[in-house]
Amino acid sequence: MQVQQDSTLAMLFLTRRCNLDCSYCHMTHNGMPDTGRALIGKGLDLFFNSFDEIRLHFFGGEPLLCFDDIQWAVARIKEKYAHKPAPRYLITTNGLLLRGKILDFLVENDVDIMISLDGAYDSQAKERVAFGDNRRAYDTIVANIENLNQQGIPFFANSVVSPGN
């Protein structure tokens, strides 16, 4: 009997920066540099030289704040590791930036999208404070989710359930 090996989950932590300030997130959002391409490249080399099948997870604070680095990483993988099985991609995002060229890129590259949303506006407003207009941020996330649904783009949600929400 042959055992099928699942892909290895490899997480690329791109940034601590975020456009939300969630009460349950203990990450320092300011004063820490982004990972940067040199280190991203070393991580990709480690992953692709160590494992055959990879599920590459773009993660952060808000990884879409480093969209150029995500594009760079995907292009580098296609060029340098064309001889390996293509990775399955995943991104965890709060959904604020899921539109336009960013969304087009994720769809074109078959990136699975996990959106963090902690419920209706009242729950979200208590736990997830936007840097700016909280209502507008929530409405933007919901509109972006509605757009995904209208276009038939698959996604799944992550929700933090806490006593506050």
Side-chain angles (χ1 to χ4, degrees):
M1 182 170 113
Q2 185 177 6
V3 177
Q4 182 178 354
Q5 180 180 352
D6 291 333
S7 58
T8 298
L9 178 62
M11 294 181 74
L12 271 179
F13 189 92
L14 299 175
T15 184
R16 290 178 174 272
R17 292 181 296 132
C18 190
N19 41 14
L20 294 176
D21 186 20
C22 302
S23 64
Y24 50 79
C25 179
H26 303 291
M27 188 176 302
T28 302
H29 295 298
N30 297 317
M32 300 292 292
D34 291 344
T35 300
R37 291 185 183 171
L39 191 54
I40 291 169
K42 287 180 182 182
L44 293 175
D45 290 343
L46 174 66
F47 300 151
F48 281 89
N49 290 322
S50 300
F51 306 103
D52 288 327
E53 293 192 26
I54 295 173
R55 176 144 177 103
L56 185 58
H57 186 177
F58 297 108
F59 196 73
E62 173 52 55
L64 290 177
L65 292 173
C66 295
F67 178 63
D68 291 344
D69 290 333
I70 294 170
Q71 290 179 298
W72 178 85
V74 169
R76 187 173 190 274
I77 291 165
K78 287 179 179 178
E79 179 183 315
K80 189 170 183 178
Y81 296 104
H83 63 283
K84 302 276 269 185
R88 292 172 33 223
Y89 295 107
L90 169 66
I91 191 164
T92 298
T93 176
N94 60 35
L96 275 167
L97 302 175
L98 279 177
R99 60 187 177 275
K101 71 176 187 173
I102 290 176
L103 181 57
D104 292 344
F105 177 85
L106 297 177
V107 170
E108 287 167 15
N109 288 281
D110 200 26
V111 177
D112 291 330
I113 300 169
M114 178 167 61
I115 300 174
S116 294
L117 185 67
D118 295 345
Y121 176 73
D122 291 340
S123 295
Q124 187 95 346
K126 290 178 192 172
E127 303 290 332
R128 302 179 84 194
V129 178
F131 296 110
D133 184 339
N134 223 30
R135 183 72 214 199
R136 182 173 176 213
Y138 180 81
D139 290 345
T140 298
I141 295 167
V142 170
N144 289 343
I145 290 171
E146 289 173 355
N147 182 47
L148 293 174
N149 279 325
Q150 289 171 355
Q151 293 190 47
I153 299 168
F155 67 94
F156 58 103
N158 175 52
S159 181
V160 174
V161 178
S162 66
N165 68 358

